[in-house]
Amino acid sequence: MSSQQRKIRVSGNTLTKEEQRQLLSSILPAAPPQEGTPQNTFTEAELQELKSTIPDIQIVTTQKEEGEHVRRNTADLMGMWEPIPERESIAYAPALEDDERFVEDSPQDGCFMESPQDGSSYYMEAQPQDGCDEEPSEQHIWLIRYGETSPGLIENVGNYDSDLHTDGVTHAECIANNIASSRHLPDHIFSDPFLRCMHTADTIASSLNHRSYQNLKVKVEEGMTEWQVPSLLVEPSGVRTHPRTLDELLQRFQNVDGTFESLNPQGPDRLVNDEEEAPEGCPRFPESEEQLHERCKATIEKILNHVGDDSFAIVSHAPCLQHTALVLEGSATPKDSKLGPWSLGGVTHFSRQKGDTKWTLKAYSDTSHMPKKYQDGELGKWSLPSFVRA
């Protein structure tokens, strides 16, 4: 009596825990489980689709006879999986050619798949190698500006709470692609409560949840709200625009975290109350650029204390993002910084080793993921005057 088993390798390399998760997230949507079969079951047809979806896969068919493992029919589909140069800290160890370990009874991390049609089983060999941490060793922050809105915002005119244009929704999906391509994923998404930011964050959450089987929820953080100045909030009629309430956002978007309470909520207007009546660093109208900086500094510190070592993304507006990036960069003032204008759909990426205090800037206002006419970052570029270089 013999039974066939198949082992799936990726370029002959073992993978870290995070790489397992990301690879599986790209495979499973292309090969959903069949009704009535165990989760993550693959039929022969689905396995072929898997091959076409992930071209860098090696499938080894073996036959077990009288306690011996005999290698049969190696289908070598390797060739496209390459370690990214910037991740030199990840060690890649080749799998041993005579390694004949098989999983025969219980699933491991959703990788074991048994086909009811022919009794074969498919096992993805993607275990963390010896000496590699199972948990990611780096913490990542993505600072994200929304894409195209409709109608577009005009300073001193409005519309100050416009939603995304259909192109802007596409831009949000492109931003999710940018994040996914970094081979890291956020554990949390925070967003300013204005519609253009919330719609962007909600779209990113949906896209990443689909890819990774996470359940990311958008945390509404008032500390990342629009710069509190009349030119960005007060219409010519004198009416001031306020963002939607949490209840309104819950009704409008599917991924809003209804249990999260803002870490740095909106404070009372400065025109009405004394400074002592509000927590230090909270958003208050009106707001100087120096006060904006203190607000962004207080907010990012509160978020970091809240998430611990988790990675996260923030969707907000150019003024807030510039000063938040300035804090993470470690520069005292904009004139001491290398940072500049921020483009529509621009993504800034910081990382650090867990336990470190210094952040590394990996990308600033990156628009390489955007559709062609937006890729150079010129359309919708915006900056505080203090960040503009002569």
Side-chain angles (χ1 to χ4, degrees):
M1 183 79 176
S2 66
S3 62
Q4 285 192 339
Q5 301 202 4
R6 293 184 181 180
K7 185 191 307 182
I8 301 175
R9 290 179 177 169
V10 182
S11 294
N13 294 322
T14 56
L15 306 179
T16 66
K17 194 76 171 180
E18 186 173 352
E19 290 166 333
Q20 288 182 56
R21 183 182 70 172
Q22 294 194 21
L23 181 65
L24 282 173
S25 72
S26 62
I27 292 174
L28 295 180
Q34 297 294 296
E35 185 175 355
T37 64
Q39 187 177 9
N40 299 338
T41 294
F42 286 72
T43 64
E44 286 292 334
E46 289 170 335
L47 190 60
Q48 294 302 315
E49 184 176 356
L50 184 153
K51 291 179 185 179
S52 63
T53 305
I54 310 296
D56 48 356
I57 281 183
Q58 180 184 28
I59 300 175
V60 179
T61 302
T62 66
Q63 184 172 309
K64 183 177 179 181
E65 297 179 355
E66 299 178 359
E68 297 293 331
H69 294 295
V70 182
R71 188 176 299 277
R72 298 274 190 258
N73 302 329
T74 298
D76 186 357
L77 302 173
M78 299 188 303
M80 293 182 64
W81 184 272
E82 298 289 343
I84 293 179
E86 68 183 23
R87 298 193 62 218
E88 293 176 355
S89 60
I90 299 299
Y92 287 79
L96 299 176
E97 284 301 313
D98 59 351
D99 184 1
E100 296 292 354
R101 294 170 296 162
F102 297 99
V103 176
E104 297 184 271
D105 45 12
S106 60
Q108 294 189 10
D109 294 331
C111 300
F112 180 77
M113 299 148 275
E114 184 173 355
S115 169
Q117 281 80 8
D118 59 7
S120 298
S121 58
Y122 311 104
Y123 169 64
M124 175 173 293
E125 182 182 350
Q127 302 302 309
Q129 63 188 78
D130 293 339
C132 281
D133 293 334
E134 291 198 1
E135 295 299 324
S137 61
E138 293 180 337
Q139 184 178 22
H140 296 261
I141 298 175
W142 294 267
L143 303 179
I144 300 163
R145 188 180 175 211
Y146 52 84
E148 188 72 32
T149 62
S150 178
L153 185 153
I154 302 174
E155 292 182 57
N156 294 304
V157 176
N159 181 306
Y160 299 126
D161 193 21
S162 56
D163 201 350
L164 292 181
H165 187 276
T166 53
D167 287 348
V169 178
T170 300
H171 298 163
E173 293 168 348
C174 291
I175 291 168
N177 292 338
N178 176 296
I179 294 173
S181 70
S182 73
R183 302 178 71 189
H184 305 280
L185 294 174
D187 301 293
H188 310 272
I189 298 179
F190 298 88
S191 176
D192 153 87
F194 280 92
L195 287 181
R196 53 195 181 278
C197 292
M198 285 298 302
H199 200 164
T200 299
D202 188 71
T203 303
I204 292 170
S206 292
S207 179
L208 294 181
N209 286 342
H210 175 74
R211 294 164 184 262
S212 63
Y213 294 89
Q214 291 176 286
N215 186 28
L216 287 169
K217 293 291 185 180
V218 179
K219 297 174 170 62
V220 182
E221 179 48 62
E222 295 176 10
M224 294 307 299
T225 194
E226 179 66 280
W227 188 19
Q228 301 289 286
V229 292
S231 63
L232 295 172
L233 292 173
V234 180
E235 298 177 4
S237 64
V239 175
R240 188 163 120 215
T241 301
H242 296 275
R244 309 299 169 103
T245 65
L246 179 60
D247 286 342
E248 289 173 322
L249 294 173
L250 282 165
Q251 293 176 16
R252 194 172 187 118
F253 302 110
Q254 63 178 349
N255 296 304
V256 179
D257 186 343
T259 65
F260 177 76
E261 295 184 6
S262 176
L263 302 172
N264 193 16
Q266 182 83 31
D269 289 357
R270 287 189 171 87
L271 296 177
V272 177
N273 296 291
D274 295 331
E275 193 74 29
E276 291 75 22
E277 296 185 22
E280 184 177 356
C282 72
R284 300 180 68 186
F285 181 90
E287 186 177 55
S288 67
E289 186 175 344
E290 181 180 355
Q291 290 163 339
L292 169 66
H293 179 81
E294 292 305 312
R295 187 243 293 187
C296 293
K297 180 180 179 183
T299 303
I300 193 65
E301 288 175 351
K302 289 175 184 291
I303 290 176
L304 285 167
N305 287 334
H306 178 75
V307 304
D309 288 334
D310 286 352
S311 297
F312 58 94
I314 296 175
V315 182
S316 187
H317 311 266
C320 304
L321 295 173
Q322 284 185 305
H323 273 285
T324 302
L326 185 68
V327 173
L328 295 173
E329 184 191 38
S331 299
T333 66
K335 72 177 184 179
D336 302 319
S337 171
K338 297 179 180 178
L339 307 179
W342 208 296
S343 302
L344 279 178
V347 177
T348 291
H349 183 189
F350 285 91
S351 72
R352 69 179 178 184
Q353 291 294 316
K354 290 186 177 180
D356 288 352
T357 58
K358 185 177 180 180
W359 292 93
T360 298
L361 178 61
K362 302 175 75 71
Y364 183 77
S365 189
D366 177 24
T367 52
S368 61
H369 52 279
M370 293 285 279
K372 286 186 178 180
K373 71 176 183 177
Y374 294 90
Q375 277 188 358
D376 62 6
E378 291 301 318
L379 281 175
K381 181 186 290 185
W382 195 96
S383 180
L384 289 160
S386 58
F387 284 85
V388 177
R389 303 290 175 263

